[in-house]
């Protein structure tokens, strides 16, 4: 007998309320592990939720001190810091802030937020947990990998080619594409050129003649297109990646390519700068010897300020380091020896330093409301949030962890309001359980980097 029309005997109960609906929530707003994973599609985990209102001061300082200053200004800031002043360690929302800043930068490549002064891309760079990024050469490799991951070379190749096509082949229409990503893919696809009878060598020669690409080394990947036979070959981002990994020698050759040739390439494609936001920067000095710290600082000075490569001359890449409170002590000696403390001082008075304070839970709750209500903290009382914050020593990741658990306990016990009494009744149990956990979130979050830095000196 066919199963096409058969139905189960038990009927699905209609209008069943969701587990969290009595709290006026769609689901638990808080992640059960309060660390940012930018590759996660869930907005609770990928940094999409963060309290923008309490970060407006930090955002405005970055916009005004960095992004709105024209890149051609010789005094524009080339190295800055997002510095956490809380010594409890991780969990203050810096990663979420950094990810959202990069997203805002890349939305229109700074043209909107710089009032058309700059066209810059942003990169969120995270050093390896294992210490693989302890040398400047490996740091340069990580920058290049991030450039590839963001598809920036694909974008620039399409930009150069589109400009040349509009000049040499004005009758070829590029207005019939679904969106920009489809246009970029077509402009980097050999088949599209064959279909439209466009000679790749001709358009390549056109933009080589009018751009600074002539200053780039002869074996630069794009140079092959100048001699490509009709419809046989076109350089893609994959060729750049292969060139970097298989042709260039590790070390100086890759540094020259990244800080000279690629800078000229990006400029030719219309960019005049970039923001490299390095999250969890302490993963670099944590694994460095005294000598490596000094060498790393000297390489930053050479390649971002005083060297002979194009980036040092014009300050195309703008470096913003995200630092926990104890990190300045880890690098202060190497910064002093290399002269970096004079070029980019790390203190409250400097324009380079963005002071970072504490996060609230309101935004998490707001994202998962089933209806609009006047009380932004519901189902928590103001006093309950204050108590949770005090117990967590204002550490954002610990606050989020406890808020997640308290929501779950409230659902289990059908408690409609999480007040001081409920927090006091539950929080002691939460803390006891955390002590027995091998993967205790709050213990990692409360690492005292100040003591750590003193011990490492």
């Amino acid at each position: 007998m066919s199963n096409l029309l058969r139905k189960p005997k038990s009927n699905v109960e209609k209008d069943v309320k969701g587990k969290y609906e009595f709290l006026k929530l769609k689901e638990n707003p808080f992640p059960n592990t309060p660390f940012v994973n930018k590759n996660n599609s869930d907005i609770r985990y990928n940094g999409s939720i963060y309290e923008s209102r309490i970060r407006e001061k930090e955002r405005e300082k970055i916009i005004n001190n960095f992004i709105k200053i024209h890149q051609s200004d010789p005094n524009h800031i080339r190295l800055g810091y997002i510095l956490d002043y809380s010594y409890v360690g991780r969990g203050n929302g810096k990663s979420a802030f950094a990810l959202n800043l990069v997203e805002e930068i890349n939305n229109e490549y700074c043209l909107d937020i710089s009032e058309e002064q700059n066209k810059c891309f942003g990169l969120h760079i995270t050093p390896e947990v294992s210490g693989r990024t302890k040398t400047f050469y490996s740091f340069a490799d990580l920058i290049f990998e991030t450039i590839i991951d963001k598809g920036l070379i694909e974008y620039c190749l399409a930009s150069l080619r589109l400009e040349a096509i509009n000049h040499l082949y004005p009758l070829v229409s590029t207005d019939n594409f679904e969106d920009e990503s489809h246009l970029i893919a077509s402009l980097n696809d050999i088949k599209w050129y064959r279909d439209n009878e466009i000679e790749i060598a001709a358009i390549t020669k056109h933009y080589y003649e009018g751009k600074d690409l002539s200053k780039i080394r002869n074996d630069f990947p794009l140079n092959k297109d100048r001699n490509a036979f009709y419809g046989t070959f076109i350089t893609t981002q994959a060729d750049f990646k292969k060139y970097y990994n298989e042709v260039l020698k590790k070390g100086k050759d890759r540094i020259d390519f990244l800080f000279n040739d690629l800078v000229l390439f990006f400029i030719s494609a219309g960019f005049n700068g970039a923001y490299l936001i390095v999250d969890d920067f302490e993963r670099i000095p944590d694994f460095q010897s005294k000598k490596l710290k000094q060498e790393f600082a000297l390489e930053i000075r050479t390649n971002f300020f005083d060297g002979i490569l194009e980036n040092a001359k014009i300050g195309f890449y703008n470096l913003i380091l995200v630092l926990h409170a104890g990190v300045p002590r880890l690098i202060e000696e190497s910064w002093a020896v290399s002269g970096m403390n004079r070029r980019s001082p790390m203190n409250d008075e400097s324009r380079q330093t963005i002071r970072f304070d504490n996060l609230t839970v309101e935004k998490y709750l707001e994202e998962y409301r089933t209806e609009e209500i006047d009380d932004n903290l519901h189902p928590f009382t103001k006093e309950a949030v204050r108590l949770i914050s005090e117990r967590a020593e204002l550490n954002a990741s610990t606050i989020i962890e406890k808020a997640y658990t308290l929501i779950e306990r409230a659902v289990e016990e059908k408690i409609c309001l999480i007040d001081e009494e409920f927090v006091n009744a539950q929080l002691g149990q939460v803390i006891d359980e955390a002590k027995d956990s091998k993967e205790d979130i709050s213990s990692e979050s409360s690492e005292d980097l100040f003591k750590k830095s003193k011990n490492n000196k």
Side-chain angles (χ1 to χ4, degrees):
M1 180 180 177
S2 173
N3 290 321
L4 289 173
L5 298 177
R6 296 179 69 185
K7 293 180 174 61
K9 292 182 179 179
S10 59
N11 295 322
V12 177
E13 190 177 338
K14 294 182 180 179
D15 300 323
V16 176
K17 288 196 172 184
K19 179 180 177 181
Y20 304 91
E21 198 168 343
F22 77 99
L23 295 174
K24 296 183 172 60
L25 297 171
K26 300 172 188 173
E27 54 186 285
N28 194 328
F30 304 98
N32 59 7
T33 172
F35 295 115
V36 172
N37 177 359
K38 62 184 177 183
N39 297 316
N40 197 315
S41 60
D42 192 322
I43 60 176
R44 291 169 294 182
Y45 298 89
N46 64 18
S48 295
I49 297 179
Y50 82 112
E51 183 53 84
S52 59
R53 286 186 294 106
I54 68 167
R55 294 302 179 211
E56 192 58 30
K57 180 178 67 175
E58 293 91 336
R59 177 189 172 277
E60 284 299 312
K61 191 170 183 181
I62 287 179
I63 299 299
N64 292 329
N65 292 1
F66 290 79
I67 294 174
K68 282 189 176 179
I69 306 300
H70 199 285
Q71 284 288 114
S72 63
D73 185 333
N75 295 317
H76 80 269
I77 299 175
R78 301 186 182 194
L79 173 59
Y81 315 96
I82 295 175
L83 180 56
D84 192 343
Y85 279 74
S86 171
Y87 278 98
V88 295
R90 295 180 176 274
N92 208 10
K94 294 182 296 299
S95 292
F97 179 80
L99 283 165
N100 280 273
L101 178 61
V102 168
E103 183 178 348
E104 183 177 8
I105 287 170
N106 289 333
N107 185 44
E108 292 190 28
Y109 293 121
C110 285
L111 288 167
D112 51 346
I113 52 179
S114 72
E115 299 172 354
E116 305 288 327
Q117 290 293 304
N118 298 310
K119 183 177 182 181
C120 303
F121 59 82
L123 300 177
H124 182 260
I125 298 169
T126 308
E128 298 281 345
V129 179
S130 62
R132 189 172 71 89
T133 321
K134 65 183 178 181
T135 69
F136 188 81
Y137 293 141
S138 57
F139 178 62
D141 290 344
L142 185 57
I143 295 173
F144 180 74
E145 289 169 13
T146 312
I147 287 172
I148 293 294
D149 289 343
K150 295 297 292 184
L152 286 162
I153 291 175
E154 288 180 342
Y155 178 93
C156 290
L157 289 171
S159 176
L160 286 167
R161 288 162 178 163
L162 181 59
E163 184 180 351
I165 289 167
N166 288 341
H167 186 270
L168 297 177
Y169 298 88
L171 298 180
V172 175
S173 174
T174 55
D175 298 329
N176 57 343
F177 291 95
E178 297 175 7
D179 50 35
E180 187 175 82
S181 62
H182 187 203
L183 173 61
I184 291 171
S186 296
L187 288 167
N188 293 318
D189 185 353
I190 188 70
K191 183 178 182 299
W192 185 82
Y193 290 85
R194 290 173 185 159
D195 293 344
N196 289 276
E197 298 183 342
I198 295 174
E199 187 181 351
I200 295 165
I203 64 169
T204 306
K205 288 174 183 176
H206 175 79
Y207 55 69
Y208 254 91
E209 290 169 0
K211 308 286 184 180
D212 285 336
L213 293 170
S214 57
K215 299 178 184 178
I216 295 175
R217 69 183 78 196
N218 290 331
D219 66 346
F220 190 72
L222 188 54
N223 201 28
K224 293 179 181 179
D225 284 6
R226 299 170 77 176
N227 302 311
F229 291 108
Y230 175 79
T232 59
F233 178 82
I234 188 170
T235 299
T236 65
Q237 178 172 275
D239 296 304
F240 277 74
K241 184 177 181 180
K242 183 177 181 179
Y243 174 76
Y244 186 89
N245 291 324
E246 298 181 16
V247 176
L248 294 176
K249 295 179 181 178
K250 291 183 178 180
K252 186 178 181 304
D253 277 358
R254 292 184 178 182
I255 295 293
D256 289 352
F257 177 77
L258 180 64
F259 290 97
N260 193 81
D261 296 354
L262 270 188
V263 168
L264 292 169
F265 172 69
F266 289 137
I267 291 172
S268 297
F271 288 106
N272 67 340
Y275 292 94
L276 314 184
I277 301 178
V278 186
D279 204 357
D280 290 321
F281 177 75
E282 80 282 352
R283 292 176 180 175
I284 296 176
D286 268 353
F287 292 90
Q288 290 176 327
S289 63
K290 179 178 178 180
K291 181 182 178 183
L292 272 179
K293 287 176 183 174
Q294 292 180 1
E295 289 176 352
F296 193 93
L298 186 59
E299 288 287 354
I300 289 181
R301 172 181 166 177
T302 300
N303 292 294
F304 285 85
F305 292 93
D306 302 336
I308 62 172
L309 301 181
E310 197 68 23
N311 187 67
K313 292 177 183 177
I314 65 173
F316 181 86
Y317 297 124
N318 303 284
L319 196 60
I320 300 179
L321 308 181
V322 181
L323 309 175
H324 299 309
V327 179
R329 285 182 171 270
L330 295 176
I331 62 176
E332 62 182 355
E333 183 179 349
S334 60
W335 245 235
V337 170
S338 66
M340 283 301 302
N341 57 345
R342 294 189 299 275
R343 285 161 180 77
S344 185
M346 209 180 305
N347 55 59
D348 267 343
E349 292 75 31
S350 71
R351 292 167 56 241
Q352 289 92 334
T353 302
I354 311 299
R355 184 185 177 101
F356 215 76
D357 294 313
N358 294 311
L359 186 67
T360 71
V361 302
E362 291 180 35
K363 187 64 176 177
Y364 284 89
L365 291 164
E366 179 186 319
E367 289 290 331
Y368 285 86
R369 294 280 182 217
T370 56
E371 59 186 81
E372 290 187 15
I373 57 176
D374 293 332
D375 185 357
N376 292 334
L377 290 175
H378 183 82
F380 297 91
T381 65
K382 184 177 181 180
E383 292 73 21
V385 171
R386 177 189 56 78
L387 181 58
I388 295 166
S389 300
E390 287 177 358
R391 294 286 186 90
E393 296 181 325
L394 299 180
N395 182 275
S397 67
T398 308
I399 291 170
I400 291 168
E401 176 202 8
K402 304 309 178 191
Y404 171 86
T405 304
L406 288 166
I407 289 281
E408 292 299 312
R409 296 281 173 85
V411 169
E412 289 173 10
E413 301 184 22
K414 299 299 180 186
I415 300 295
C416 296
L417 190 67
I418 300 174
D419 56 14
E420 277 186 287
E421 182 179 353
F422 185 77
V423 172
N424 278 320
Q426 299 295 329
L427 206 54
Q429 298 174 33
V430 173
I431 291 172
D432 290 341
E433 288 170 8
K435 289 178 181 177
D436 297 329
S437 172
K438 293 182 180 179
E439 297 182 359
D440 176 22
I441 297 172
S442 62
S443 64
E444 181 177 350
S445 300
S446 299
E447 179 182 13
D448 192 332
L449 293 172
F450 178 72
K451 291 180 182 177
K452 181 178 182 179
S453 65
K454 290 180 69 177
N455 293 335
N456 288 344
K457 287 194 70 177

